[in-house]
Amino acid sequence: MDDSYSVQTTAAETGETGGLDTLQALKDGDTFLVADGWGDLKGGADGLFDSDTRLLSRFQMTAGMARPSRLSSGVSRDNVFFTAHSTNRPLPPMGGRSAPAGVMHIERRRFLWNRRMFERVRMVNHGVEDVLLPLAFDFAADFADIFQVRGTLREKRGTVHTPTHDGRRVTFRYTGLDNVERTSCLSFSEPPARLSGTRAEFMFSLPMGKRLDLYIECGGEACTTPDPLRWRESALAARLSMRRRRRRGASLRGPRSPMFNAWLDQSRADMALLTTDLPTGPYPYAGTPWFSTPFGRDGILSAWQMLWLDPSLARGVLTYLAARQATEVSAFHDSAPGKIMHETRGGEMSALHEVPFGLYYGGVDTTCLFIALAGAYARRTGDLDLIRKLWPNLVAASEWMRDYGDSNGDGLIDYARGADTGLSNQGWKDSEDSIFHRDGRFPKGPIALLEVQGYAYAAWLAMADLGARLGDARAQAWEDHAHEVRFLVEDRFWMEDEGFYAIALDGDGEQCRSIGSNAGHLLFSGLPSKARAERVTRRMLSSEFRSGWGLRTLAKGQARFNPMSYHNGSVWPHDTSIGVAGMARYGERDAVSTILGEIYTAASHFQMRLPELFCGFDREPGEGPIAYPVACLPQAWAAGSAFLMLQASLGVDVNALDGVVTVANPTLPTGVDRLTVSELRVGTSKVDLIFERIGEGTVLMPRGKQGDIRILTSR
């Protein structure tokens, strides 16, 4: 329609090279900012967002009526500061001869704190004469919903009011169709020479060798005049908050492996960046820019990846999701009593139900994973008090599995979306073309995904174990249900001629005989027999799956295989990590260590920050992995993949219920000869684990053991 409203993003708008890989992201709580390499916002996929609403859509700086020449830019290792260094182009004459290019150093330094953007523009004159520097900012606030920014059309929207300005402040207002008035305010420490609702112009006089700072703030609350003290105090608070999040749980260090340490540090920093401290505890948001919000599946798997080092994430995730468990049937929200949330959003479109994602339950696996994580958390921590508090939620989730998750009564968890506005595929591979028959046909619903049955198996076993510990008489029935699921999967999904499991069953019970990485998730659950697990492992380690940079989501040669696709042949680090952890569960170590090394090498080509996914082309000598152009960066479960793969390689299992840490046949990745796990806490006890390569093997040397904890080793 001609009057539809949408924010369209073109490649040319997204960065210097035309790709999203040039965008830089900051995040604090529910606020995030995406800008190009100069620090500019240009109204495409970028902006300052809070609670899924864009508060600042345009913010571009010019020096002397031209964009400055960029020298370098990037985000600090701790993910707190974005800094762009640039220099001036030739400046226009101002009462005399013009200043030449390259005499002014202009630094833009920016961070987020307490739902506000703080920016300092530092100008230093390195020339031999005094300089008059014209500096200008063009700005706008469109208050677009995150789904509009992603390209969803709206037939109409609310009213964007004319900005008001007063001295050094500009206030933007928008009245939404939900009758909520949203505001943002942009303020400067110095009064501009000219100020309008869209532009601020300054004229700075800088003597040679002198420095001048301009402070800027933008947020959704009332304007406060920026000043150096507010900048320093807020910057310190932001840095200390990030440091606390990074230092939760045990730490990992390779004393003779600086590059490997850099990867671990970046991964830990990315997890800390994406983790928001909510009233229910820490929760890892999925990723920026599009998924900076709590997701059920992503939060659970990210917490599971970190569980052996930092159980606080799992506690926070379980508590948050329990508080948002569905209590009613809704086709629009894909909800039913006991089901666990898939996604939540806070913008206008969600509030108006233009999209179902305000509180959306269209994930078939999240409820099973919720129970399974609770079982893993209890085993890792011994924290049965939390389990008792969550027990009604866990029982309700198991009742959803029994009463709603199995729509056709065949004993398997399946899905079919409740409304056309929902997701058509509801496993982790949720793109429309990700589940198909061997000939490429899309299956009729309801669809029973392979990996979801593994999650269900783990969930029933968790209910049985926890129920027995809490004295629930239903424990044996839950264990029986787990064995029934195991029998059904082995009977109906296994393809003897392929030595592999079908990716799904369609609504007629017919196998979707595609060969996908979903089988690695089944290994992670522990469902397959040892003999079948070994056959799956061999095939997943073949060139069909292995790209040299990790495991592909779909084997080469399958219908719809495309290494440049989202789910049909690309490499997702989290998917690889779950697959290799599944292999390790059945005793594989050497191959796990090798693939860990491949993912580590891939990370080195992405500046030590693993993206959400990258293309699944074969590794070529002297070349790096090929980026997927619109991958989220950073992404929580991509960052967490390093730690799950390390746990799998080291063979570490923590059982706080029995006070035991078991290390089975540890292996260090290539290039790492020594690794220390410091302050590993087990209940009230703690220990340091030192792994060292000696000859062809790796040995464990426990140190500093405090408390009643046993260390067992096996080979």
Side-chain angles (χ1 to χ4, degrees):
M1 297 178 65
D2 292 339
D3 61 347
S4 64
Y5 182 88
S6 175
V7 178
Q8 298 296 329
T9 303
T10 65
E13 292 175 322
T14 57
E16 185 177 16
T17 61
L20 281 173
D21 57 322
T22 62
L23 293 180
Q24 306 286 334
L26 296 175
K27 176 190 170 295
D28 180 68
D30 289 321
T31 306
F32 70 93
L33 184 146
V34 182
D36 69 11
W38 282 263
D40 286 338
L41 315 179
K42 296 188 290 184
D46 45 14
L48 173 65
F49 296 80
D50 184 73
S51 299
D52 293 319
T53 299
R54 184 156 62 181
L55 302 183
L56 193 62
S57 53
R58 182 176 176 84
F59 190 58
Q60 291 183 267
M61 186 186 77
T62 54
M65 297 181 290
R67 197 179 210 192
S69 297
R70 184 164 64 118
L71 302 174
S72 69
S73 63
V75 175
S76 59
R77 281 290 183 190
D78 64 1
N79 286 324
V80 175
F81 295 99
F82 166 81
T83 305
H85 296 276
S86 60
T87 188
N88 65 292
R89 302 182 191 274
L91 297 177
M94 295 289 177
R97 65 190 184 88
S98 64
V103 298
M104 294 294 306
H105 174 219
I106 304 173
E107 177 199 79
R108 299 178 73 177
R109 190 163 172 83
R110 174 186 292 162
F111 65 94
L112 301 179
W113 177 245
N114 199 22
R115 306 183 74 175
R116 299 181 73 79
M117 177 191 80
F118 291 79
E119 180 162 334
R120 185 190 67 197
V121 181
R122 173 163 286 176
M123 299 153 279
V124 183
N125 181 2
H126 292 285
V128 296
E129 295 181 337
D130 297 351
V131 170
L132 284 174
L133 175 65
L135 198 71
F137 296 87
D138 293 289
F139 43 76
D142 63 1
F143 295 94
D145 186 280
I146 187 70
F147 289 99
Q148 292 171 255
V149 179
R150 291 172 62 178
T152 301
L153 292 171
R154 298 185 74 186
E155 293 186 2
K156 59 180 180 178
R157 65 181 311 231
T159 302
V160 178
H161 302 283
T162 301
T164 59
H165 53 90
D166 178 17
R168 64 188 80 196
R169 293 176 289 273
V170 181
T171 301
F172 309 95
R173 289 191 307 119
Y174 168 74
T175 304
L177 298 178
D178 55 358
N179 294 318
V180 173
E181 182 168 285
R182 296 168 172 87
T183 64
S184 63
C185 184
L186 179 67
S187 56
F188 302 91
S189 61
E190 300 292 332
R194 291 188 182 89
L195 181 63
S196 71
T198 59
R199 183 176 172 86
E201 298 178 0
F202 298 85
M203 182 63 70
F204 293 115
S205 176
L206 282 92
M208 61 179 184
K210 296 300 182 180
R211 184 186 80 189
L212 189 147
D213 291 338
L214 173 67
Y215 295 90
I216 306 167
E217 293 184 21
C218 184
E221 299 176 354
C223 277
T224 302
T225 301
D227 60 47
L229 180 60
R230 279 178 55 80
W231 163 273
R232 288 194 298 269
E233 290 179 344
S234 298
L236 178 60
R239 179 152 267 175
L240 290 176
S241 176
M242 181 66 76
R243 184 179 298 173
R244 285 192 295 270
R245 296 199 298 274
R246 290 181 65 188
R247 293 183 175 179
R248 286 174 176 147
S251 63
L252 290 166
R253 213 80 194 145
R256 296 189 290 269
S257 308
M259 291 295 290
F260 194 75
N261 287 339
W263 180 39
L264 297 180
D265 289 346
Q266 185 67 65
S267 299
R268 202 67 180 258
D270 286 350
M271 188 65 78
L273 172 71
L274 293 168
T275 296
T276 297
D277 288 327
L278 301 172
T280 47
Y283 200 107
Y285 285 13
T288 59
W290 306 126
F291 307 119
S292 188
T293 190
F295 275 75
R297 177 193 305 118
D298 298 59
I300 290 170
L301 291 179
S302 298
W304 208 322
Q305 290 171 323
M306 302 298 297
L307 181 61
W308 70 293
L309 298 171
D310 179 15
S312 71
L313 284 183
R315 182 185 180 92
V317 167
L318 290 168
T319 306
Y320 180 90
L321 293 177
R324 285 153 183 82
Q325 190 171 34
T327 59
E328 61 183 12
V329 175
S330 168
F332 181 71
H333 293 289
D334 246 319
S335 66
K339 199 174 186 183
I340 296 299
M341 178 199 87
H342 170 69
E343 176 182 359
T344 183
R345 294 286 186 173
E348 178 188 5
M349 293 177 68
S350 296
L352 292 170
H353 292 176
E354 294 178 28
V355 293
F357 303 110
L359 197 54
Y360 180 60
Y361 294 85
V364 67
D365 48 4
T366 311
T367 308
C368 304
L369 284 168
F370 171 75
I371 299 174
L373 177 64
Y377 170 81
R379 189 173 190 275
R380 168 63 182 86
T381 64
D383 183 8
L384 292 180
D385 288 341
L386 178 65
I387 300 302
R388 289 187 184 94
K389 292 177 183 177
L390 298 181
W391 193 241
N393 304 98
L394 293 168
V395 171
S398 71
E399 290 172 347
W400 174 86
M401 292 170 60
R402 181 196 65 202
D403 298 335
Y404 296 97
D406 177 11
S407 69
N408 55 15
D410 65 354
L412 301 171
I413 304 295
D414 55 42
Y415 69 91
R417 67 177 172 183
D420 290 343
T421 52
L423 296 173
S424 56
N425 280 318
Q426 297 190 354
W428 86 262
K429 295 179 181 178
D430 57 6
S431 51
E432 292 185 354
D433 63 347
S434 61
I435 306 300
F436 50 89
H437 285 285
R438 166 168 277 173
D439 59 5
R441 288 180 296 116
F442 293 133
K444 62 178 290 188
I447 297 169
L449 291 172
L450 172 66
E451 72 275 17
V452 175
Q453 315 317 315
Y455 303 151
Y457 170 75
W460 290 121
L461 285 182
M463 289 299 294
D465 179 65
L466 296 175
R469 294 180 186 278
L470 299 184
D472 194 306
R474 293 167 289 187
Q476 185 59 54
W478 288 325
E479 182 176 348
D480 292 344
H481 208 139
H483 295 313
E484 291 169 8
V485 171
R486 185 176 196 172
F487 172 80
L488 286 170
V489 172
E490 295 284 45
D491 180 58
R492 300 188 61 190
F493 284 83
W494 179 252
M495 302 180 292
E496 181 61 30
D497 57 329
E498 296 282 359
F500 213 78
Y501 292 93
I503 200 170
L505 301 182
D506 70 9
D508 294 326
E510 181 184 352
Q511 290 180 342
C512 298
R513 293 173 59 86
S514 301
I515 306 297
S517 63
N518 309 55
H521 295 236
L522 194 70
L523 299 184
F524 182 71
S525 73
L527 184 150
S529 67
K530 184 173 178 57
R532 287 183 175 177
E534 289 174 351
R535 294 181 69 181
V536 169
T537 296
R538 284 197 300 272
R539 190 155 186 186
M540 292 193 71
L541 293 175
S542 74
S543 60
E544 284 182 282
F545 281 100
R546 282 185 64 188
S547 68
W549 304 112
L551 301 177
R552 300 183 182 92
T553 53
L554 186 69
K556 284 200 298 186
Q558 298 297 299
R560 300 188 179 275
F561 173 79
N562 180 353
M564 301 175 291
S565 68
Y566 198 54
H567 286 127
N568 291 337
S570 53
V571 174
W572 288 62
H574 92 278
D575 182 49
T576 293
S577 74
I578 292 172
V580 299
M583 298 175 195
R585 182 166 186 154
Y586 289 88
E588 179 59 58
R589 284 286 182 276
D590 292 338
V592 167
S593 177
T594 299
I595 295 175
L596 170 60
E598 293 175 355
I599 286 284
Y600 160 51
T601 305
S604 69
H605 288 276
F606 291 110
Q607 298 181 318
M608 294 304 176
R609 170 180 273 177
L610 283 170
E612 176 188 18
L613 74 156
F614 47 89
C615 293
F617 292 106
D618 286 331
R619 183 173 179 172
E620 297 291 343
E623 298 180 11
I626 298 173
Y628 186 83
V630 292
C632 280
L633 190 70
Q635 183 89 350
W637 61 14
S641 63
F643 305 105
L644 181 59
M645 284 190 286
L646 260 178
Q647 181 186 15
S649 182
L650 298 175
V652 176
D653 176 68
V654 183
N655 182 352
L657 290 170
D658 296 333
V660 175
V661 175
T662 303
V663 177
N665 191 23
T667 305
L668 287 168
T670 303
V672 179
D673 295 325
R674 185 181 174 96
L675 187 73
T676 300
V677 184
S678 301
E679 300 280 317
L680 183 70
R681 294 189 176 274
V682 184
T684 58
S685 305
K686 65 178 181 178
V687 67
D688 295 344
L689 303 178
I690 300 172
F691 297 88
E692 186 161 4
R693 191 189 308 276
I694 296 180
E696 297 298 317
T698 299
V699 298
L700 167 67
M701 297 174 287
R703 293 285 189 273
K705 184 164 74 75
Q706 298 180 22
D708 186 16
I709 179 176
R710 291 179 294 150
I711 311 297
L712 303 180
T713 59
S714 64
R715 301 193 69 82

